[in-house]
Amino acid sequence: MDILNEFDSGEVYTRYAVDEKPDDGSFIMHVHDRCEIYCFVSGNAEYLVEGARYPLKTGSVLIMRPSESHKPKILGSGRYERYAVNFSLSAVERLDPRRMLMKPFFERPLGRGNLYGAAELSSETVRLFGEICGGNIGEDYERQLEISTRLFLLLEMIYKAYLKRGSAEYAPPTVLSEQIITYINSHLFEELSVPMLAELFFLSVSQLGRVFRQATGAAPWEYITIKRLTAAREKIRCGEPAGIAAESCGFGNYSAFYRAYVKRFGCSPTDDIS
């Protein structure tokens, strides 16, 4: 992947990236601790968000809230070009303390209503992303000001499109993989195991793994572990002791939690204390 432009203010991270010869194997399922807005420019791909599959066309915009798993799925050769903006809630709350503009991100089930087509937003959407993610102003203050003002324009566009939608977008899942994912997230911090999930959904362990990986890009236990670690990290950053955070997020063994945490985040739980 070639990152052609990126900027990180701490609260907002922007990226413009291109893969001339994309390989689906190099794109893995991931989650963030910040919100993300993604804009597809070109390529042959779809996007997986919590088991939902979204087709991509030029100008397609996807929104993800913290801990919402997602992964691009490359369907063929050809230049894969996209923009992405990751931002913390604090970056929005100073101008929108009631989080009105965050409703499209949080007031919906996981993996539902993530995609906004170009027709729902504006013909200027790709250009706006280009200004957010591709600016070349040298001074950090000027760059940050430029990004912030345009980010709020983008959030307002998404919010207005969200208000125009009906409730059909958020109907209960009917696809098996989405039902499994919904169950996991509803019981994430309870006792879970792959054999138990397989039995619950009348599948063999291998069938469950195959169905789940096709839907998310990750194995079931990998998905559960990443989700639990991300939740524990947020609790630790908010001041909760690491041992209590680990236990409350479904980790019965602190040593195993510690090793998984370091492997995942590259630092120990205590290093993440604010």
Side-chain angles (χ1 to χ4, degrees):
M1 175 178 66
D2 292 325
I3 297 178
L4 302 185
N5 205 320
E6 65 179 340
F7 180 83
D8 193 350
S9 70
E11 290 189 327
V12 180
Y13 171 67
T14 69
R15 182 176 73 256
Y16 169 46
V18 173
D19 285 81
E20 296 294 348
K21 297 180 179 180
D23 174 16
D24 185 62
S26 65
F27 295 92
I28 61 173
M29 185 212 82
H30 56 286
V31 300
H32 302 294
D33 55 8
R34 296 187 280 187
C35 292
E36 178 172 338
I37 312 175
Y38 163 102
C39 179
F40 178 75
V41 180
S42 67
N44 185 2
E46 61 184 9
Y47 222 85
L48 308 179
V49 184
E50 294 289 355
R53 290 178 178 267
Y54 292 109
L56 297 175
K57 298 180 180 179
T58 299
S60 292
V61 170
L62 285 150
I63 62 172
M64 278 74 68
R65 66 174 178 255
S67 296
E68 196 164 26
S69 71
H70 51 283
K71 173 194 180 299
K73 184 171 180 59
I74 305 302
L75 302 176
S77 59
R79 177 185 173 96
Y80 171 42
E81 183 179 2
R82 68 279 190 196
Y83 296 110
V85 182
N86 295 85
F87 61 93
S88 65
L89 292 178
S90 60
V92 176
E93 287 173 341
R94 281 190 292 274
L95 288 180
D96 180 19
R98 294 169 59 184
R99 296 189 181 182
M100 183 182 74
L101 297 177
M102 293 292 94
K103 288 184 178 182
F105 292 81
F106 290 93
E107 294 192 0
R108 57 175 178 76
L110 287 171
R112 294 285 188 279
N114 299 86
L115 178 68
Y116 288 84
E120 291 184 274
L121 299 175
S122 165
S123 59
E124 299 297 309
T125 302
V126 175
R127 179 190 62 79
L128 184 58
F129 269 97
E131 292 174 349
I132 294 172
C133 301
N136 292 308
I137 295 176
E139 292 291 332
D140 281 355
Y141 178 81
E142 292 180 68
R143 185 78 184 97
Q144 188 170 342
L145 183 62
E146 180 185 43
I147 289 171
S148 297
T149 54
R150 285 161 174 76
L151 175 59
F152 272 89
L153 287 175
L154 181 58
L155 289 172
E156 184 182 26
M157 287 167 49
I158 294 170
Y159 176 68
K160 288 180 177 179
Y162 164 81
L163 291 180
K164 292 181 181 179
R165 289 185 168 181
S167 59
E169 188 82 32
Y170 313 122
T174 57
V175 178
L176 177 60
S177 59
E178 295 178 10
Q179 292 174 344
I180 297 170
I181 290 166
T182 298
Y183 180 87
I184 289 173
N185 282 287
S186 298
H187 301 81
L188 184 61
F189 303 143
E190 302 171 18
E191 186 174 347
L192 287 173
S193 71
V194 174
M196 185 264 296
L197 289 169
E199 182 178 358
L200 183 65
F201 288 95
F202 304 102
L203 299 169
S204 68
V205 169
S206 61
Q207 286 174 325
L208 174 71
R210 184 166 58 253
V211 167
F212 200 89
R213 187 175 288 278
Q214 287 174 348
T216 66
W221 194 248
E222 177 187 7
Y223 174 93
I224 292 167
T225 301
I226 290 173
K227 285 293 193 93
R228 287 177 170 178
L229 286 171
T230 303
R233 190 183 206 191
E234 181 62 24
K235 287 175 179 283
I236 291 168
R237 286 179 165 178
C238 290
E240 190 165 295
I244 295 175
E247 185 176 359
S248 66
C249 290
F251 291 94
N253 183 295
Y254 185 79
S255 295
F257 165 75
Y258 184 93
R259 291 193 298 272
Y261 196 100
V262 172
K263 182 178 179 180
R264 175 69 182 168
F265 301 120
C267 64
S268 70
T270 53
D271 290 337
D272 259 334
I273 298 174
S274 301

